[in-house]
Amino acid sequence: MLKIYINAHHPKSFITLDNADHLLSKQEDSKYVGDMIGCWVKRYFETKAHKMLDAEGEQLVAHLNLKEDNFTTTIQTSAHSITADEPISVGGDDFGPSPYDLLSAGLAACTAMTLKLYAERKQWDLKEVYVYVTYSKKHSDDLMLDMEKPMRIDHLLKKLNFVGNLNDTQTQRLKEIASKCPVHKTLQNQVVIDTKLL
């Protein structure tokens, strides 16, 4: 290994891989090596501007190349990229959040932003907001819902934690406001999704 490093031409860097075997058979070792190579090689490639896929006039586009990727899907808006994937446990490569993680993320982000705006308007001493969201399927009986036909339904659990000098009345009001964010309302409304072919 030392001979290879000495004879290699510049640019070169030396990084130790403690307890890793030559085949990098442990996933954490191979990911670490991939991250290091990616960081190192960035210096030698020209930085390109964000290239937007044609969203056909819509807000965003998701793209999956079935020949090159498994479930790894690129999502692009006009200014940002997100990588979505499935966890390894269901056959994905875990290169990004799952679709339901992204759904939960939208709810959590909208909740935090709505609370910020409300607290600023009220001039309350809210310094930080933590919004924890978990998606699951639950039976209506477990949720104590009175339904004509009991069934398993989609369930989003949202927990809040506030940092700041707030009294009980203020924290209770913020809890109420958390249910009034636009994404929260959208998820509770009847939603119509049109699917069209291009």
Side-chain angles (χ1 to χ4, degrees):
M1 193 68 76
L2 180 60
K3 187 180 284 186
I4 293 173
Y5 180 76
I6 291 172
N7 289 308
H9 297 293
H10 282 286
K12 61 184 177 181
S13 300
F14 184 76
I15 297 173
T16 61
L17 296 171
D18 298 332
N19 302 317
D21 58 40
H22 288 285
L23 297 176
L24 301 174
S25 55
K26 291 181 181 177
Q27 188 179 45
E28 57 265 30
D29 293 332
S30 60
K31 281 190 174 181
Y32 175 73
V33 169
D35 288 342
M36 290 300 102
I37 292 172
C39 288
W40 173 78
V41 81
K42 276 183 188 176
R43 295 173 60 98
Y44 306 103
F45 283 90
E46 181 182 349
T47 302
K48 294 183 178 179
H50 177 79
K51 184 180 179 183
M52 178 62 182
L53 295 170
D54 187 356
E56 302 292 340
E58 304 304 333
Q59 292 176 348
L60 59 80
V61 58
H63 175 248
L64 172 57
N65 185 332
L66 279 68
K67 291 183 178 179
E68 296 182 6
D69 300 307
N70 188 11
F71 289 107
T72 308
T73 302
T74 300
I75 302 166
Q76 289 188 342
T77 69
S78 59
H80 303 285
S81 290
I82 306 169
T83 300
D85 208 336
E86 290 287 3
I88 293 171
S89 61
V90 296
D93 294 306
D94 202 24
F95 290 148
S98 73
Y100 276 106
D101 287 339
L102 293 171
L103 177 72
S104 298
L107 175 61
C110 186
T111 299
M113 294 173 187
T114 299
L115 291 169
K116 165 204 157 56
L117 291 172
Y118 186 83
E120 284 182 347
R121 184 162 62 84
K122 290 289 189 177
Q123 296 184 332
W124 290 354
D125 185 27
L126 177 63
K127 293 184 172 65
E128 297 178 54
V129 177
Y130 291 88
V131 183
Y132 305 90
V133 177
T134 298
Y135 167 85
S136 63
K137 288 273 193 183
K138 291 198 171 184
H139 198 277
S140 56
D141 290 345
D142 295 331
L143 297 170
M144 293 183 286
L145 297 175
D146 185 18
M147 300 182 70
E148 186 176 322
K149 184 180 178 183
M151 65 179 71
R152 287 173 61 81
I153 60 175
D154 297 300
H155 180 258
L156 285 159
L157 174 64
K158 179 161 59 170
K159 297 181 179 179
L160 308 170
N161 187 24
F162 305 130
V163 178
N165 186 21
L166 302 166
N167 59 41
D168 290 342
T169 301
Q170 290 171 325
T171 56
Q172 285 302 311
R173 182 57 180 158
L174 288 173
K175 180 189 173 187
E176 293 172 12
I177 295 300
S179 298
K180 298 179 185 295
C181 84
V183 172
H184 189 120
K185 287 182 176 180
T186 298
L187 289 170
Q188 289 192 315
N189 286 340
Q190 183 176 356
V191 177
V192 177
I193 301 176
D194 288 328
T195 302
K196 301 178 181 178
L197 291 174
L198 297 179

